[in-house]
Each structure stands twice: as structure tokens, then as C-alpha cells.
Amino acid sequence: MDKYICDICGMIYDPTIGDPDSGIAPGTAFAEIPDNWTCPECGVGKDQFTKL
């Protein structure tokens, strides 16, 4: 699974870790994250992430 980086703050979404604080379980691919998910660091939308 691919990692994605926030274009605004540089936070990296790693699917092996997920985002447990936001209810995203480890093993969740970026494409499977709900569209209303936001960056836990800066709050921008999922559309502001780029594949690494």
C-alpha cells in the first residue's frame, strides 16, 4: 500500500499505521479512507494529499 503526504504540512499517511485517533484502522489504504477525513496535523481535506 502506498503512503501519501499532505501538501500543506508534510504529514505522511502510512497505511500500516492508519490514523487510529480519527477511527482509521491500521491496514486501511488511502483510497478506503472516507472523503470527509481531514489531516490530523493541519485539518485540510483528503484532496490535499499526494502519493509518495
Side-chain angles (χ1 to χ4, degrees), residues 10-40:
M11 180 268 188
I12 295 175
Y13 175 77
D14 182 344
T16 62
I17 297 169
D19 182 14
D21 292 339
S22 298
I24 308 299
T28 303
F30 191 78
E32 296 172 0
I33 297 173
D35 290 336
N36 63 348
W37 176 81
T38 58
C39 177

Side-chain angles (χ1 to χ4, degrees), residues 4-16:
Y4 282 75
I5 187 167
C6 178
D7 297 331
I8 306 304
C9 72
M11 180 268 188
I12 295 175
Y13 175 77
D14 182 344
T16 62

